[in-house]
PDB file of all heavy atoms in Angstrom:
ATOM      1  N   TYR A1290       7.969 -11.886  -1.786  1.00  0.00           N
ATOM      2  CA  TYR A1290       9.328 -11.327  -1.836  1.00  0.00           C
ATOM      3  C   TYR A1290       9.525 -10.413  -0.619  1.00  0.00           C
ATOM      4  O   TYR A1290      10.565 -10.418   0.029  1.00  0.00           O
ATOM      5  CB  TYR A1290       9.532 -10.526  -3.132  1.00  0.00           C
ATOM      6  CG  TYR A1290      10.854  -9.789  -3.165  1.00  0.00           C
ATOM      7  CD1 TYR A1290      12.026 -10.456  -3.516  1.00  0.00           C
ATOM      8  CD2 TYR A1290      10.940  -8.441  -2.794  1.00  0.00           C
ATOM      9  CE1 TYR A1290      13.250  -9.803  -3.509  1.00  0.00           C
ATOM     10  CE2 TYR A1290      12.158  -7.776  -2.792  1.00  0.00           C
ATOM     11  CZ  TYR A1290      13.312  -8.460  -3.155  1.00  0.00           C
ATOM     12  OH  TYR A1290      14.522  -7.802  -3.124  1.00  0.00           O
ATOM     13  N   VAL A1291       8.454  -9.659  -0.306  1.00  0.00           N
ATOM     14  CA  VAL A1291       8.502  -8.723   0.824  1.00  0.00           C
ATOM     15  C   VAL A1291       8.285  -9.467   2.146  1.00  0.00           C
ATOM     16  O   VAL A1291       8.978  -9.222   3.132  1.00  0.00           O
ATOM     17  CB  VAL A1291       7.428  -7.625   0.615  1.00  0.00           C
ATOM     18  CG1 VAL A1291       7.181  -6.837   1.884  1.00  0.00           C
ATOM     19  CG2 VAL A1291       7.856  -6.702  -0.523  1.00  0.00           C
ATOM     20  N   PHE A1292       7.299 -10.357   2.158  1.00  0.00           N
ATOM     21  CA  PHE A1292       6.991 -11.110   3.379  1.00  0.00           C
ATOM     22  C   PHE A1292       7.515 -12.529   3.216  1.00  0.00           C
ATOM     23  O   PHE A1292       6.877 -13.375   2.588  1.00  0.00           O
ATOM     24  CB  PHE A1292       5.481 -11.092   3.640  1.00  0.00           C
ATOM     25  CG  PHE A1292       4.937  -9.706   3.864  1.00  0.00           C
ATOM     26  CD1 PHE A1292       4.149  -9.077   2.916  1.00  0.00           C
ATOM     27  CD2 PHE A1292       5.245  -9.011   5.031  1.00  0.00           C
ATOM     28  CE1 PHE A1292       3.657  -7.796   3.111  1.00  0.00           C
ATOM     29  CE2 PHE A1292       4.763  -7.717   5.242  1.00  0.00           C
ATOM     30  CZ  PHE A1292       3.972  -7.114   4.280  1.00  0.00           C
ATOM     31  N   LYS A1293       8.690 -12.762   3.798  1.00  0.00           N
ATOM     32  CA  LYS A1293       9.400 -14.018   3.539  1.00  0.00           C
ATOM     33  C   LYS A1293       8.780 -15.213   4.252  1.00  0.00           C
ATOM     34  O   LYS A1293       9.023 -16.355   3.885  1.00  0.00           O
ATOM     35  CB  LYS A1293      10.869 -13.910   3.983  1.00  0.00           C
ATOM     36  CG  LYS A1293      11.600 -12.690   3.441  1.00  0.00           C
ATOM     37  CD  LYS A1293      12.125 -12.952   2.044  1.00  0.00           C
ATOM     38  CE  LYS A1293      13.016 -11.796   1.565  1.00  0.00           C
ATOM     39  NZ  LYS A1293      12.873 -11.521   0.141  1.00  0.00           N
ATOM     40  N   LYS A1294       8.023 -14.941   5.342  1.00  0.00           N
ATOM     41  CA  LYS A1294       7.424 -16.054   6.081  1.00  0.00           C
ATOM     42  C   LYS A1294       5.910 -15.876   6.139  1.00  0.00           C
ATOM     43  O   LYS A1294       5.340 -15.542   7.189  1.00  0.00           O
ATOM     44  CB  LYS A1294       8.008 -16.115   7.500  1.00  0.00           C
ATOM     45  CG  LYS A1294       9.494 -16.423   7.498  1.00  0.00           C
ATOM     46  CD  LYS A1294      10.030 -16.457   8.905  1.00  0.00           C
ATOM     47  CE  LYS A1294      11.498 -16.840   8.904  1.00  0.00           C
ATOM     48  NZ  LYS A1294      12.110 -16.601  10.218  1.00  0.00           N
ATOM     49  N   PRO A1295       5.255 -16.115   5.007  1.00  0.00           N
ATOM     50  CA  PRO A1295       3.810 -15.843   4.928  1.00  0.00           C
ATOM     51  C   PRO A1295       2.987 -16.663   5.920  1.00  0.00           C
ATOM     52  O   PRO A1295       1.951 -16.192   6.396  1.00  0.00           O
ATOM     53  CB  PRO A1295       3.465 -16.205   3.484  1.00  0.00           C
ATOM     54  CG  PRO A1295       4.604 -16.974   2.948  1.00  0.00           C
ATOM     55  CD  PRO A1295       5.806 -16.575   3.721  1.00  0.00           C
ATOM     56  N   ASP A1296       3.453 -17.860   6.244  1.00  0.00           N
ATOM     57  CA  ASP A1296       2.761 -18.690   7.219  1.00  0.00           C
ATOM     58  C   ASP A1296       2.680 -18.002   8.579  1.00  0.00           C
ATOM     59  O   ASP A1296       1.603 -17.925   9.186  1.00  0.00           O
ATOM     60  CB  ASP A1296       3.604 -19.975   7.420  1.00  0.00           C
ATOM     61  CG  ASP A1296       2.819 -21.185   7.059  1.00  0.00           C
ATOM     62  OD1 ASP A1296       1.681 -21.278   7.518  1.00  0.00           O
ATOM     63  OD2 ASP A1296       3.370 -22.028   6.303  1.00  0.00           O
ATOM     64  N   GLU A1297       3.829 -17.539   9.029  1.00  0.00           N
ATOM     65  CA  GLU A1297       3.880 -16.836  10.321  1.00  0.00           C
ATOM     66  C   GLU A1297       3.058 -15.559  10.258  1.00  0.00           C
ATOM     67  O   GLU A1297       2.368 -15.189  11.210  1.00  0.00           O
ATOM     68  CB  GLU A1297       5.336 -16.489  10.680  1.00  0.00           C
ATOM     69  CG  GLU A1297       6.150 -17.718  11.016  1.00  0.00           C
ATOM     70  CD  GLU A1297       7.582 -17.381  11.449  1.00  0.00           C
ATOM     71  OE1 GLU A1297       7.887 -16.194  11.687  1.00  0.00           O
ATOM     72  OE2 GLU A1297       8.384 -18.328  11.544  1.00  0.00           O
ATOM     73  N   LEU A1298       3.136 -14.883   9.125  1.00  0.00           N
ATOM     74  CA  LEU A1298       2.363 -13.643   8.959  1.00  0.00           C
ATOM     75  C   LEU A1298       0.870 -13.931   9.125  1.00  0.00           C
ATOM     76  O   LEU A1298       0.159 -13.226   9.836  1.00  0.00           O
ATOM     77  CB  LEU A1298       2.657 -13.042   7.589  1.00  0.00           C
ATOM     78  CG  LEU A1298       1.925 -11.742   7.241  1.00  0.00           C
ATOM     79  CD1 LEU A1298       2.789 -10.871   6.333  1.00  0.00           C
ATOM     80  CD2 LEU A1298       0.582 -11.965   6.583  1.00  0.00           C
ATOM     81  N   MET A1299       0.399 -15.009   8.486  1.00  0.00           N
ATOM     82  CA  MET A1299      -1.025 -15.296   8.577  1.00  0.00           C
ATOM     83  C   MET A1299      -1.426 -15.713   9.997  1.00  0.00           C
ATOM     84  O   MET A1299      -2.545 -15.441  10.415  1.00  0.00           O
ATOM     85  CB  MET A1299      -1.449 -16.341   7.541  1.00  0.00           C
ATOM     86  CG  MET A1299      -1.501 -15.813   6.112  1.00  0.00           C
ATOM     87  SD  MET A1299      -2.398 -14.240   5.914  1.00  0.00           S
ATOM     88  CE  MET A1299      -4.099 -14.740   6.209  1.00  0.00           C
ATOM     89  N   ASN A1300      -0.517 -16.346  10.717  1.00  0.00           N
ATOM     90  CA  ASN A1300      -0.809 -16.629  12.130  1.00  0.00           C
ATOM     91  C   ASN A1300      -1.042 -15.329  12.895  1.00  0.00           C
ATOM     92  O   ASN A1300      -1.961 -15.235  13.707  1.00  0.00           O
ATOM     93  CB  ASN A1300       0.369 -17.363  12.795  1.00  0.00           C
ATOM     94  CG  ASN A1300       0.277 -18.841  12.571  1.00  0.00           C
ATOM     95  OD1 ASN A1300      -0.793 -19.362  12.252  1.00  0.00           O
ATOM     96  ND2 ASN A1300       1.399 -19.531  12.734  1.00  0.00           N
ATOM     97  N   ASN A1301      -0.183 -14.351  12.653  1.00  0.00           N
ATOM     98  CA  ASN A1301      -0.375 -13.036  13.280  1.00  0.00           C
ATOM     99  C   ASN A1301      -1.752 -12.475  12.926  1.00  0.00           C
ATOM    100  O   ASN A1301      -2.504 -12.034  13.790  1.00  0.00           O
ATOM    101  CB  ASN A1301       0.642 -12.007  12.747  1.00  0.00           C
ATOM    102  CG  ASN A1301       2.037 -12.171  13.317  1.00  0.00           C
ATOM    103  OD1 ASN A1301       2.305 -13.088  14.079  1.00  0.00           O
ATOM    104  ND2 ASN A1301       2.935 -11.275  12.926  1.00  0.00           N
ATOM    105  N   VAL A1302      -2.049 -12.491  11.623  1.00  0.00           N
ATOM    106  CA  VAL A1302      -3.274 -11.844  11.155  1.00  0.00           C
ATOM    107  C   VAL A1302      -4.511 -12.542  11.731  1.00  0.00           C
ATOM    108  O   VAL A1302      -5.466 -11.888  12.160  1.00  0.00           O
ATOM    109  CB  VAL A1302      -3.310 -11.806   9.604  1.00  0.00           C
ATOM    110  CG1 VAL A1302      -4.654 -11.320   9.099  1.00  0.00           C
ATOM    111  CG2 VAL A1302      -2.194 -10.916   9.067  1.00  0.00           C
ATOM    112  N   VAL A1303      -4.470 -13.866  11.779  1.00  0.00           N
ATOM    113  CA  VAL A1303      -5.617 -14.596  12.341  1.00  0.00           C
ATOM    114  C   VAL A1303      -5.799 -14.233  13.818  1.00  0.00           C
ATOM    115  O   VAL A1303      -6.902 -13.916  14.273  1.00  0.00           O
ATOM    116  CB  VAL A1303      -5.447 -16.124  12.147  1.00  0.00           C
ATOM    117  CG1 VAL A1303      -6.457 -16.903  12.983  1.00  0.00           C
ATOM    118  CG2 VAL A1303      -5.595 -16.489  10.671  1.00  0.00           C
ATOM    119  N   GLY A1304      -4.699 -14.220  14.556  1.00  0.00           N
ATOM    120  CA  GLY A1304      -4.773 -13.888  15.987  1.00  0.00           C
ATOM    121  C   GLY A1304      -5.279 -12.469  16.210  1.00  0.00           C
ATOM    122  O   GLY A1304      -6.184 -12.228  17.020  1.00  0.00           O
ATOM    123  N   VAL A1305      -4.729 -11.554  15.455  1.00  0.00           N
ATOM    124  CA  VAL A1305      -5.083 -10.142  15.642  1.00  0.00           C
ATOM    125  C   VAL A1305      -6.534  -9.881  15.220  1.00  0.00           C
ATOM    126  O   VAL A1305      -7.280  -9.183  15.914  1.00  0.00           O
ATOM    127  CB  VAL A1305      -4.095  -9.241  14.853  1.00  0.00           C
ATOM    128  CG1 VAL A1305      -4.619  -7.827  14.707  1.00  0.00           C
ATOM    129  CG2 VAL A1305      -2.734  -9.242  15.536  1.00  0.00           C
ATOM    130  N   THR A1306      -6.964 -10.464  14.092  1.00  0.00           N
ATOM    131  CA  THR A1306      -8.342 -10.210  13.652  1.00  0.00           C
ATOM    132  C   THR A1306      -9.351 -10.818  14.635  1.00  0.00           C
ATOM    133  O   THR A1306     -10.398 -10.233  14.886  1.00  0.00           O
ATOM    134  CB  THR A1306      -8.608 -10.733  12.222  1.00  0.00           C
ATOM    135  OG1 THR A1306      -8.156 -12.083  12.130  1.00  0.00           O
ATOM    136  CG2 THR A1306      -7.893  -9.902  11.179  1.00  0.00           C
TER     137      THR A1306
END
Side-chain angles (χ1 to χ4, degrees):
Y1290 173 81
V1291 166
F1292 298 108
K1293 309 276 187 216
K1294 296 179 177 168
D1296 240 312
E1297 291 183 11
L1298 180 148
M1299 286 312 290
N1300 275 341
N1301 284 3
V1302 172
V1303 167
V1305 165
T1306 50

